[in-house]
Amino acid sequence: MRRPPHGGALDCRAGSILPGHATALGKLLMAGLPDDATEDIVARFGMPKLTAETVDDVPFFERQLEAIRGTGMAYEHSEYVPGYDCVATGVYHRSDLVAAVSVAAPEERFAVRREEFGAAARGIARLLSESLGASRPADTGPPTN
């Protein structure tokens, strides 16, 4: 685990359980679920405000998920750890979303390298998806079933 200079912590271990509404990874994975499943998750766990930037408004969150479904990319801005931004995209097995990868950085660095970090996440996701036999490129957004 890496400790940011402001004293927060980025928990980057594989298998970590992170709040879906406050992380790019969680948003990406939730966008891949049916609407009733995301509604159930929000009803069960709520959308607690973790930082001043955490999204806690359900209609706004639903609009974010819709945008993610269209682009295949999710972003967060200091929503989980203050001062850190993140981009995530999906990993597919055939046409099913099975995982997500992300790139996080201090917000100052992320702001000037956002496109580069997004391309890096897409490239890694594409390689992983191809190794799983994805039937579509991982950087074109979710499948349109």
Side-chain angles (χ1 to χ4, degrees):
M1 179 152 39
R2 182 172 163 226
R3 299 237 176 245
H6 56 72
L10 284 178
D11 190 351
C12 299
R13 295 171 290 161
S16 296
I17 298 174
L18 305 174
H21 72 291
T23 64
L25 288 167
K27 291 177 188 187
L28 191 288
L29 294 171
M30 288 179 73
L33 297 173
D35 288 341
D36 60 337
T38 60
E39 291 168 7
D40 289 346
I41 291 168
V42 170
R44 182 173 178 196
F45 297 102
M47 294 177 58
K49 197 103 169 134
L50 304 173
T51 73
E53 302 298 325
T54 305
V55 172
D56 62 350
D57 177 72
V58 174
F60 182 80
F61 182 63
E62 290 170 345
R63 288 190 300 276
Q64 282 188 323
L65 295 180
E66 189 59 35
I68 293 163
R69 289 181 188 115
T71 65
M73 301 293 288
Y75 293 89
E76 71 175 90
H77 173 69
S78 294
E79 295 175 55
Y80 179 56
V81 176
Y84 277 76
D85 294 353
C86 186
V87 58
T89 193
V91 175
Y92 295 85
H93 174 257
R94 298 192 180 116
S95 64
D96 298 323
L97 177 66
V98 295
V101 296
S102 68
V103 176
E107 60 189 352
E108 309 82 30
R109 188 175 317 145
F110 194 92
V112 297
R113 298 177 69 186
R114 179 182 168 109
E115 295 301 317
E116 179 184 349
F117 291 154
R122 282 191 304 273
I124 294 164
R126 184 181 315 109
L127 289 173
L128 292 170
S129 296
E130 288 171 358
S131 74
L132 294 174
S135 59
R136 48 169 297 289
D139 61 349
T140 59
T144 54
N145 295 347

